[in-house]
Amino acid sequence: MTIATRELRASFAFVERNFNLTKRYWGWEVAWLVYSIAAALAVAFIGVAQDDPGLLQVLVIGTIFWNYLSIVFGFIGETVTWERWEGTLEYTFMAPIRRYTQLVGSTFFAVAYALIQMVIILVVMILFFDLEFTGGNFVTAGVFILLGSLSFVGVGMMAAILPLLYVERGDQMVFVIQSIILLFSGVYYTTDVLPEWMQFVSQFSPGTYVLNGIRGGLIHGTPVTELLHNVWPLVVMGIVLIPLGVYVFGIAERYAKRTGKLKRVG
Amino acid sequence: MIQVMNESKTTPMRAPARQPLRRVGPPPPGEQPALLIEHATKRFVVGRKRKSVVAVNDVSMSIRRGEIYGILGANGSGKSTLIRLVSTLLTLEGGRVEVFGHDVERDEMAVKQLINRVSVDAAFFKKLSPHENLAYAARLYGLDARSARAEAIQILARLGIGEKRLSRPLEQMSRGMQQKVAIARALLTSPTVLLLDEPTTGLDPRSKLDVQTFIEEVRDTHDATIVLTTHDLAEAERLCDRIALINDGRMVAEGTPGELMTMVERDYGKEPTLESVFMTFTGKSLDDDVDEDKDDD
C-alpha cells in the first residue's frame, strides 16, 4: 500500500467517524438544524418587515452562507475539542498517521455537512420568500463558495491549535474568533456601514470577500472576472493559511507533548 | 537478575532466581530489546507558581521480546508518565526510549506502528458502538475495516462479548466490557509492544479475571511484549515475568516476583509477599496508594 493510499484511508477514518457520531447524536442534529432554519428565517423576516426586496436578498445570502462558513470553521476549529470531550485525544494522537491526514478528513466531513445544511436552509428560504435571483451569476457564487471554503479551512486550522494550547479556554477562544469574524465580515449588512476602524479590520476577514463576491454574483450578476479584488485575498489566505495551519498545528502538538496537555480532558 | 536502585547508583544483587518458563530478564548482549529505556527523565511545570515536578527521574529498563514486564507504583509515582513517553504522547527531557531500535522521538511514526496502548479509562467515542470504534481504529492503522471487523468479532467472542452487543453504543456497556473492547482494539493492530496502563483498575472481580486470563492468552498466542502497570499486586505476581517498582519517579527495584520476594525475606526479614516488597521499597502501604488517587500519574 502506498503512503498516499494509507493516508487517504486514514483520513476516511475521520469522515466515517464523524458521520457515525452525527448519526448517534441525531437528536442534537435535528435541534441544531431547526435552530439554524429558525435563525435564518428570523433574520430574513427583517427584510420582509422593511418591505425591501434588496435588503431581503442581502440578509438571505448573508444568513445562508454565514451558516455554511461558520460550520466549516467550527468543525475544523473544534477538531481537538471533540476528542477532548470524548477522551480519545491521546488515542488519536498515538495512531501512526500524519496530522494533515486528520485535518483533511475533518475538512472533508465539515464541507459535506455544511453543504447539506446550506441546501436545506436554501430550500426553506425559497419556500418562504419570493426570492428573485434572475440574472444572478451562479458560477460566481460557486467560485466564491469554493474559495471561501479554502480560506475558512485555513483559518479553522489556525484556530484548531487553541484547544491544544489552552485546555480550558481554547474552545472559548475559537468561539470568540468565530463571533469576531461574524461581526466584521458584513454578514447581515455591507461592511461600508461599519465605523472606519472596523472597516479596516474587516479587510482581514475572509468572510468579507466571500460575502461580497456571492452578493455581487447573485444579486448583480457580476462575473468572477470583475470581482478579482475579492478573489485574490481569498486565494492568498487559502494558499498561506492551510499549510501554515498544518505547520503551526505541528508546533502546538509538540508543545502539548512537552507540557503534557494531550492528557487533560476538557 | 534482581536490582535494587539506590539514588542514581545501581547495585545488582545476587539472589536465587526463579526458574523461568520463558525468556525472562534483560536481553543478553547482542539481542535487541523490545523496549529500551535509558535514563529517561520527564519534568512538568505545574500550578500558578510554575513549580517544576520531576515525574520520571533517570529511569532505565531493558525489556526482552515476549516478556510481560510489570511496573508497580503508587498513584503519582510516574508509571503512566513512563507509558506515555513510550507511547510518543510526551517528549523526553533527558535520556532515550527505543522500541525495537526505533527512537521514539526521531522515528516516531515507526514506533507508532509497533505499539498500542490500553489506558485505565477505555478511550472511546462512547456514543459509538464497538463496531464503529473498531472500524475507526482499523482505518487509522491502515487495516481493512471489513477483515478487522471479523477479527474483532473473534477476539471479543473470546472475551465473552457476543456479536449482538457490538452494534449498541459503548456507553451502554459495563466498564469491564468497555475495557475488553479496548484490549480487542489494541490487539487488532497486532502491536509488537502492548502497553497496558492499569487495564483492570476499577473492574469487578469477574471482569478483572477475564481480562487477566486474556492477557495470559495474548502472551501465549501473540508475538507481543507486554508492559503492564498495575496497583494489583496479585495481578502483578500472576502475570509479570519481571517487575519494576517505581517510587517518586525513580525505579527503586527490579526483578522477577520470586526474586523480589526472596530478597525481602532474606535481606529485610519480612514476609515473602509482593505487598512486603512494595512497602519495603516504596515506604508506602496499599492504603496510602488509594489515598493518593487524586494525583496524576
Side-chain angles (χ1 to χ4, degrees):
Chain A
M1 197 183 340
T2 64
I3 293 175
T5 316
R6 207 194 159 285
E7 294 296 321
L8 200 64
R9 182 178 278 185
S11 85
F12 183 67
F14 296 95
V15 178
E16 186 182 53
R17 183 202 72 186
N18 288 355
F19 174 73
N20 287 330
L21 282 169
T22 304
K23 242 176 23 184
R24 296 282 181 184
Y25 284 103
W26 67 268
W28 275 111
E29 295 303 330
V30 171
W32 283 321
L33 183 62
V34 168
Y35 178 81
S36 300
I37 292 171
L41 287 172
V43 170
F45 271 117
I46 296 170
V48 176
Q50 296 297 310
D51 196 20
D52 182 345
L55 177 62
L56 177 64
Q57 285 178 324
V58 167
L59 291 174
V60 166
I61 289 171
T63 195
I64 290 175
F65 291 97
W66 172 249
N67 189 67
Y68 169 80
L69 296 170
S70 63
I71 289 175
V72 170
F73 173 82
F75 258 90
I76 298 165
E78 289 170 6
T79 301
V80 170
T81 309
W82 272 34
E83 301 253 11
R84 267 201 212 285
W85 280 336
E86 300 280 355
T88 55
L89 189 62
E90 285 194 325
Y91 184 79
T92 300
F93 274 60
M94 205 179 65
I97 52 157
R98 313 268 168 203
R99 207 50 59 213
Y100 62 75
T101 305
Q102 179 177 4
L103 294 169
V104 165
S106 298
T107 301
F108 268 129
F109 181 81
V111 169
Y113 178 94
L115 275 174
I116 291 168
Q117 208 174 96
M118 185 179 80
V119 169
I120 293 171
I121 297 174
L122 186 63
V123 169
V124 173
M125 289 294 200
I126 290 169
L127 291 174
F128 265 79
F129 306 109
D130 187 21
L131 293 171
E132 284 276 335
F133 287 117
T134 44
N137 191 323
F138 292 92
V139 174
T140 299
V143 168
F144 275 96
I145 290 173
L146 180 70
L147 292 175
S149 303
L150 290 176
S151 55
F152 268 74
V153 166
V155 180
M157 283 180 179
M158 298 292 283
I161 66 167
L162 293 169
L164 256 187
L165 300 179
Y166 307 99
V167 177
E168 308 288 344
R169 305 265 176 256
D171 194 36
Q172 295 156 10
M173 291 177 188
V174 173
F175 190 67
V176 168
I177 292 173
Q178 197 170 338
S179 310
I180 289 171
I181 296 175
L182 166 69
L183 177 65
F184 284 88
S185 303
V187 173
Y188 303 119
Y189 37 80
T190 50
T191 50
D192 51 15
V193 304
L194 296 173
E196 221 164 277
W197 70 269
M198 288 179 78
Q199 286 187 43
F200 175 77
V201 175
S202 74
Q203 296 175 82
F204 300 99
S205 165
T208 306
Y209 305 102
V210 178
L211 291 164
N212 280 345
I214 292 175
R215 283 181 181 134
L218 289 183
I219 299 173
H220 307 295
T222 315
V224 177
T225 47
E226 289 179 26
L227 292 166
L228 292 180
H229 56 288
N230 285 305
V231 170
W232 73 260
L234 291 175
V235 172
V236 170
M237 284 184 196
I239 289 174
V240 172
L241 291 179
I242 293 177
L244 185 66
V246 174
Y247 175 71
V248 174
F249 199 95
I251 294 174
E253 183 179 340
R254 282 195 292 282
Y255 170 80
K257 285 181 177 181
R258 186 162 55 79
T259 53
K261 292 196 175 185
L262 289 183
K263 184 195 167 191
R264 297 278 304 279
V265 177
Chain B
M1 180 188 290
I2 188 166
Q3 290 187 317
V4 173
M5 283 73 187
N6 189 4
E7 293 300 316
S8 59
K9 223 164 74 182
T10 302
T11 316
M13 294 185 68
R14 286 176 187 279
R18 183 178 70 169
Q19 192 61 35
L21 298 173
R22 298 192 321 284
R23 296 179 306 170
V24 172
E31 185 182 308
Q32 186 177 61
L35 176 61
L36 177 70
I37 299 177
E38 280 189 342
H39 308 292
T41 301
K42 180 68 191 171
R43 285 185 199 89
F44 292 113
V45 176
V46 293
R48 283 171 187 267
K49 290 182 179 171
R50 305 192 58 76
K51 192 178 147 201
S52 178
V53 174
V54 184
V56 172
N57 194 350
D58 197 28
V59 169
S60 298
M61 55 182 70
S62 183
I63 301 174
R64 204 169 185 180
R65 185 177 195 147
E67 261 193 298
I68 297 187
Y69 190 93
I71 301 178
L72 275 177
N75 283 308
S77 59
K79 311 184 293 293
S80 294
T81 300
L82 199 55
I83 293 290
R84 282 191 172 85
L85 287 169
V86 180
S87 311
T88 73
L89 293 169
L90 288 172
T91 52
L92 286 154
E93 295 315 278
R96 68 182 174 130
V97 176
E98 283 182 7
V99 177
F100 283 101
H102 298 283
D103 186 278
V104 289
E105 295 195 343
R106 284 199 307 274
D107 211 356
E108 186 180 325
M109 209 51 86
V111 170
K112 284 176 169 177
Q113 295 277 7
L114 294 171
I115 60 165
N116 214 316
R117 164 176 170 253
V118 176
S119 56
V120 61
D121 49 338
F124 284 115
F125 288 90
K126 301 279 194 305
K127 279 274 177 206
L128 300 186
S129 67
H131 268 323
E132 289 163 341
N133 272 291
L134 293 171
Y136 172 59
R139 289 195 198 283
L140 284 185
Y141 282 80
L143 307 172
D144 177 58
R146 202 173 294 173
S147 48
R149 182 188 170 107
E151 195 177 335
I153 290 171
Q154 267 187 338
I155 297 170
L156 287 165
R158 292 210 313 267
L159 282 165
I161 300 178
E163 202 175 341
K164 267 189 197 167
R165 311 279 317 243
L166 302 184
S167 300
R168 291 186 216 153
L170 261 154
E171 65 185 2
Q172 292 175 12
M173 287 181 152
S174 66
R175 244 187 55 72
M177 280 201 173
Q178 288 183 19
Q179 203 61 331
K180 288 177 187 177
V181 178
I183 294 174
R185 178 178 63 177
L187 285 178
L188 210 56
T189 63
S190 306
T192 46
V193 174
L194 182 58
L195 306 163
L196 301 176
D197 193 4
E198 298 182 35
T200 59
T201 297
L203 300 190
D204 61 81
R206 172 68 199 268
S207 297
K208 191 179 260 195
L209 198 64
D210 282 350
V211 170
Q212 288 171 348
T213 307
F214 190 61
I215 293 170
E216 285 176 323
E217 195 186 321
V218 170
R219 178 188 61 192
D220 297 337
T221 56
H222 287 65
D223 179 23
T225 305
I226 298 174
V227 181
L228 171 78
T229 74
T230 184
H231 287 139
D232 187 331
L233 300 178
E235 178 174 284
E237 190 174 354
R238 173 180 169 179
L239 296 175
C240 300
D241 298 312
R242 281 191 299 152
I243 290 171
L245 281 173
I246 304 273
N247 190 39
D248 293 335
R250 283 182 178 277
M251 190 158 95
V252 289
E254 185 189 41
T256 66
E259 286 170 347
L260 291 169
M261 288 188 285
T262 306
M263 186 179 66
V264 290
E265 185 184 28
R266 185 194 60 208
D267 297 347
Y268 298 89
K270 293 189 178 166
E271 201 185 344
T273 63
L274 270 189
E275 191 167 354
S276 297
V277 172
F278 187 85
M279 293 200 319
T280 304
F281 288 108
T282 65
K284 290 169 183 157
S285 73
L286 285 170
D287 294 335
D288 293 336
D289 196 356
V290 173
D291 287 344
E292 287 174 13
D293 206 27
K294 289 167 201 142
D295 292 338
D296 286 339
D297 267 358

